[in-house]
Amino acid sequence: MKFFVDTADTEDIRDLAATGMVDGVTTNPSLVAKTGRNFFDVLKEICAIVDGPVSAEVTATSADSMITEGRKLRELAQNITIKVPLTWDGLKACKTLTDEGTMVNVTLCFSANQALLAAKAGATFISPFVGRLDDIHIEGMDLIEDIRIIYDQYDFDTEILVASIRNPNHVKEAAKMGADVSTIPPNVLRSLIKHPLTDKGLADFLADWEKTGQSILDT
Ligand code: E4P
């Protein structure tokens, strides 16, 4: 499963990219607004850090304007992926932009039927929002399971990009279900490594090593 990092914070992206764990980046207007920086500067910088797909979201609502914005955004870098909302206009824009060879991420997906429409419109990625479904007491991960079944049934190439991830369990369940990508907030990605027995085991090994009085480099 690929890991995308779900942030527009370039310092976080640079730090996490150094671990080799970052296969791409997703942003949205809220994440860009949080940085307080110019949209184009932020996206250009992210594309220079990460080779994989970097989602930049359109803000227009009509298909024609989304297509115009998408064409402008894709000039930023070869790895830009145009993010469009799951509306009829968004699907029209998706079809046009993917026909032109541009990667498109269809976002704000909350149902399996919406995911089916996005795949039929040729989406490169579909972004089901699991956390926001959990927020309204609907099991977000059930949606991932349903989409996986439907896409496999019809051999759709659209990649399932699990979005609105809030905790490590979302990542584990997404991997078990065969999702193609998880887009993960930096704090959740960093927390994936944590296990108290790893910390305790390392502390014990180092304490015992200290007692030997030896040093690997000084020998
Ligand atoms: C990513 O593409 C989505 O915009 C993001 O994961 C939404 O996450 P949130 O529901 O935590 O805002």
Side-chain angles (χ1 to χ4, degrees), residues 193-205:
I193 204 165
K194 285 190 189 145
H195 197 288
L197 290 180
T198 302
D199 296 342
K200 185 185 177 314
L202 182 59
D204 290 347
F205 286 154

Side-chain angles (χ1 to χ4, degrees), residues 20-150:
M21 294 292 153
V22 178
D23 302 302
V25 175
T26 51
T27 67
N28 62 37
S30 308
L31 291 171
V32 173
K34 222 162 100 180
T35 67
R37 297 182 55 197
N38 174 274
F39 182 48
F40 285 85
D41 291 348
V42 173
L43 265 298
K44 230 187 270 176
E45 194 177 331
I46 296 173
C47 289
I49 302 170
V50 175
D51 291 334
V54 173
S55 289
E57 190 159 342
V58 298
T59 52
T61 52
S62 73
D64 284 348
S65 304
M66 284 188 217
I67 292 163
T68 306
E69 286 187 356
R71 286 177 181 152
K72 180 171 179 179
L73 288 169
R74 76 184 174 197
E75 296 305 317
L76 277 173
Q78 136 293 323
N79 50 336
I80 280 282
T81 300
I82 305 302
K83 211 173 176 191
V84 300
L86 220 159
T87 59
W88 287 115
D89 283 281
L91 294 180
K92 279 187 210 163
C94 174
K95 183 165 172 23
T96 300
L97 292 169
T98 52
D99 283 351
E100 292 173 356
T102 301
M103 291 185 286
V104 175
N105 175 358
V106 179
T107 190
L108 290 166
C109 172
F110 293 95
S111 80
N113 280 333
Q114 288 180 326
L116 182 54
L117 295 175
K120 286 177 71 66
T124 317
F125 301 103
I126 181 68
S127 287
F129 278 32
V130 295
R132 292 193 195 188
L133 283 170
D134 289 351
D135 289 346
I136 57 162
H137 308 288
I138 293 173
E139 188 53 62
M141 294 312 299
D142 287 351
L143 175 57
I144 305 305
E145 203 166 18
D146 287 348
I147 300 173
R148 184 73 284 160
I149 291 167
I150 292 167

